[in-house]
Amino acid sequence: MNNTVVQIVKSGNRFNAWDADGNKYTSQISNGTRKSAFNTGMALEQRVNKNGKTFWWKVPMSTFEATTAPVIDTSSVDVPTDHAEVLNFIHSSYNLKPQGLVMTELKWKYLVRSAVRGKNILMTGPAGCGKTMASKSLVNSLDRPDFYFNLGATQDPRATLVGNVHFDKKKGTFFSESVFVKAIQTPNAVILLDELSRAHPDAWNILMTVLDEGQRYLRLDESDGQQTINVAEGVTFVATANIGNEYTSTRVMDKALMDRFIIVEMDVLNSEEEHGLLNYMFPHVESELLKSVAEIATQTRSESKSEAGRLSTGISTRTSVEIAGLLYDGFGLDEAAEVTVYPQFSDDGGLESERTYVKQLVQKYISDGSSEDLFNEEEVENSN
């Protein structure tokens, strides 16, 4: 049986993986591996190690060419335009959702429909709930050129979204446009605007005309008569935002900016859903252990939502995945909680602190509640 061999094709700023029959393997291969293969002109071959785990190995491009792969036209976007075909595409799109993304069928179809119709989409929900993953899954499903911008990490909004003026001894002063300017001129592109709620207000001001359905342009300079860049046909913007009082580093979103989006709210997973996700991601970890992780996380979230709750925040799905990863790497549940969970909770208040409460909760799943010796004498003495 021949191993699968894929070619890496760049689309926008994404490196997609295709086999000889035109099947897409992008989501199964890490971005670093795909990018490295593309930059070195190599193909990737799927192999199995002695433990039965699959991995991708760089091989000469001739290995891929030997499979007589068809020419892949990445310039076209296979999204229907006829209304009946669009309806069929939207309502049969749930099978395009990756198994690792836990999202209701209704919300996934609404997400796909909004993208197909060229809407601006704002993904909201608590940190670590899968907003960015859902956005990137949408890109993979539509197979459109995509561009990614993390606005929360942007130091200079104008340089990131518009460009910079540079000086060269030979050329003199010249303007260098940003990648964002090139992105909005790419027909049918999906542009991801991550951490929009953490962006500087200057970034919001620049995006106002870009996102407005009646304008859809970017002005390179505020002076009268300066060049404006029109947003290309079919471009869709997908943004993510953490909205709420618990996110102290976020800014209050401008109402006029939010009105330019349709909102898709990501649901917080319940214990059963989270357990299923962890089982899917870490099939070699004992299921009962992963169930404990899911239940601990769910209980912290419930406690944080309760009016008389002892916690100000709950454990995110992102943290649950990190704990499961530590279990897979041979750490115990107590060790995983020590380094990933406890630092998230304050120890102010001694035995009445949030950290103490979470330690007690975790301890129940380590000893089944049979041990009352939860803390050593030094901890008790310090808290008193």
Side-chain angles (χ1 to χ4, degrees):
M1 180 178 177
N2 295 328
N3 292 337
T4 300
V5 181
V6 297
Q7 175 189 27
I8 307 303
V9 179
K10 190 173 183 181
S11 174
N13 62 356
R14 186 172 179 81
F15 299 87
N16 288 318
W18 303 87
D19 71 3
D21 297 319
N23 298 313
K24 194 173 184 180
Y25 285 81
T26 303
S27 61
Q28 300 181 29
I29 310 171
S30 69
N31 182 64
T33 300
R34 287 182 273 118
K35 185 175 181 180
S36 176
F38 179 84
N39 290 336
T40 55
M42 304 282 277
L44 292 172
E45 182 179 54
Q46 189 178 45
R47 298 182 178 181
V48 180
N49 63 20
K50 61 182 181 180
N51 296 321
K53 189 174 181 180
T54 59
F55 66 99
W56 293 87
W57 186 260
K58 284 192 289 186
V59 295
M61 186 57 68
S62 58
T63 305
F64 175 80
E65 293 169 350
T67 60
T68 61
V71 176
I72 300 169
D73 180 12
T74 57
S75 63
S76 64
V77 179
D78 189 21
V79 175
T81 55
D82 180 77
H83 182 60
E85 292 180 348
V86 169
L87 289 180
N88 182 63
F89 179 79
I90 292 171
H91 292 283
S92 63
S93 65
Y94 194 59
N95 61 353
L96 298 176
K97 182 188 73 67
Q99 191 173 346
L101 173 65
V102 181
M103 192 175 189
T104 65
E105 183 173 357
L106 172 61
K107 290 194 175 182
W108 173 260
K109 288 181 179 178
Y110 181 45
L111 183 62
V112 171
R113 176 263 178 190
S114 300
V116 170
R117 293 302 190 189
K119 305 290 185 180
N120 300 324
I121 303 165
L122 181 62
M123 308 289 298
T124 67
C129 70
K131 298 185 295 295
T132 303
M133 181 182 182
S135 302
K136 292 183 176 180
S137 298
L138 175 67
V139 170
N140 285 334
S141 298
L142 296 180
D143 189 28
R144 293 183 170 187
D146 66 287
F147 299 85
Y148 176 85
F149 301 92
N150 189 327
L151 299 183
T154 299
Q155 300 296 320
D156 186 345
R158 184 162 187 81
T160 299
L161 298 177
V162 180
N164 269 326
V165 174
H166 300 278
F167 176 77
D168 184 90
K169 289 183 179 179
K170 296 181 179 179
K171 299 180 181 179
T173 301
F174 67 96
F175 175 76
S176 177
E177 65 183 24
S178 68
V179 176
F180 183 76
V181 172
K182 298 175 183 176
I184 65 174
Q185 296 179 85
T186 305
N188 298 308
V190 179
I191 300 176
L192 305 183
L193 304 174
D194 210 4
E195 303 284 1
L196 182 64
S197 51
R198 295 179 183 271
H200 192 280
D202 286 350
W204 295 349
N205 292 334
I206 293 171
L207 290 170
M208 284 290 189
T209 57
V210 176
L211 298 169
D212 188 274
E213 188 175 350
Q215 301 182 70
R216 299 276 282 183
Y217 70 83
L218 174 67
R219 188 182 295 278
L220 297 183
D221 194 283
E222 291 303 315
S223 303
D224 291 336
Q226 292 300 308
Q227 181 184 6
T228 59
I229 303 295
N230 292 321
V231 178
E233 187 72 23
V235 171
T236 298
F237 295 90
V238 183
T240 68
N242 296 324
I243 300 175
N245 295 331
E246 64 180 299
Y247 304 109
T248 56
S249 297
T250 63
R251 295 179 168 88
V252 177
M253 291 280 288
D254 186 285
K255 178 62 176 174
L257 183 69
M258 289 189 67
D259 282 345
R260 285 160 166 75
F261 293 94
I262 63 100
I263 295 177
V264 177
E265 184 180 34
M266 293 294 292
D267 296 319
V268 177
L269 305 187
N270 59 37
S271 178
E272 184 178 344
E273 291 170 334
E274 190 137 325
H275 182 211
L277 174 63
L278 297 179
N279 270 329
Y280 169 74
M281 297 181 70
F282 300 94
H284 300 297
V285 178
E286 183 183 345
S287 182
E288 281 301 310
L289 200 52
L290 295 178
K291 184 178 180 181
S292 296
V293 175
E295 290 181 356
I296 290 170
T298 301
Q299 288 187 49
T300 62
R301 294 168 200 158
S302 298
E303 188 67 23
S304 68
K305 297 296 182 183
S306 172
E307 290 185 7
R310 293 273 303 275
L311 301 178
S312 58
T313 188
I315 297 172
S316 70
T317 299
R318 182 182 293 127
T319 298
S320 295
V321 171
E322 178 63 19
I323 294 172
L326 288 170
L327 297 177
Y328 177 72
D329 288 334
F331 291 83
L333 179 57
D334 54 338
E335 295 173 317
E338 184 73 35
V339 295
T340 63
V341 176
Y342 302 157
Q344 298 183 33
F345 298 91
S346 171
D347 59 357
D348 293 341
L351 293 177
E352 297 300 319
S353 68
E354 290 191 358
R355 185 173 297 187
T356 297
Y357 179 88
V358 174
K359 281 187 175 182
Q360 291 173 331
L361 175 59
V362 172
Q363 190 68 27
K364 292 178 182 178
Y365 289 88
I366 296 173
S367 63
D368 296 325
S370 59
S371 173
E372 296 180 358
D373 184 20
L374 303 180
F375 310 101
N376 59 40
E377 293 180 1
E378 185 179 354
E379 284 182 306
V380 176
E381 185 177 343
N382 289 338
S383 66
N384 292 332

